[in-house]
Amino acid sequence: MILASLLSLTIFLISAAIALGSDRKTLDGIPTPIAAVVGVLSLIWFVAISPCLLKIGLVMAVAAFVKLY
């Protein structure tokens, strides 16, 4: 399970780097929406297979981030 969660997190980070780093004005910008969709799906996969304590930690981190801003 640890390997699957690390795999999904790695896929998310790679696709986020591709989506944020590509040029949107040329044809090189075509992979941007594909990378964004793959990133969202792998993030959902990561949250679905992560242990309960990690999910609680993620919820607490989001709550703290929202309270900060």
Side-chain angles (χ1 to χ4, degrees):
M1 183 188 296
I2 300 281
L3 183 63
S5 63
L6 286 177
L7 178 68
S8 64
L9 186 62
T10 304
I11 291 172
F12 166 71
L13 293 174
I14 290 171
S15 62
I18 291 171
L20 294 175
S22 67
D23 186 17
R24 290 174 177 80
K25 295 180 182 177
T26 63
L27 289 177
D28 294 333
I30 291 174
T32 302
I34 296 170
V37 169
V38 168
V40 168
L41 291 177
S42 65
L43 189 62
I44 291 170
W45 180 29
F46 173 70
V47 172
I49 63 172
S50 63
C52 185
L53 289 176
L54 185 62
K55 290 178 187 177
I56 292 171
L58 289 171
V59 169
M60 297 299 276
V62 168
F65 182 74
V66 168
K67 190 172 183 174
L68 182 67
Y69 287 103

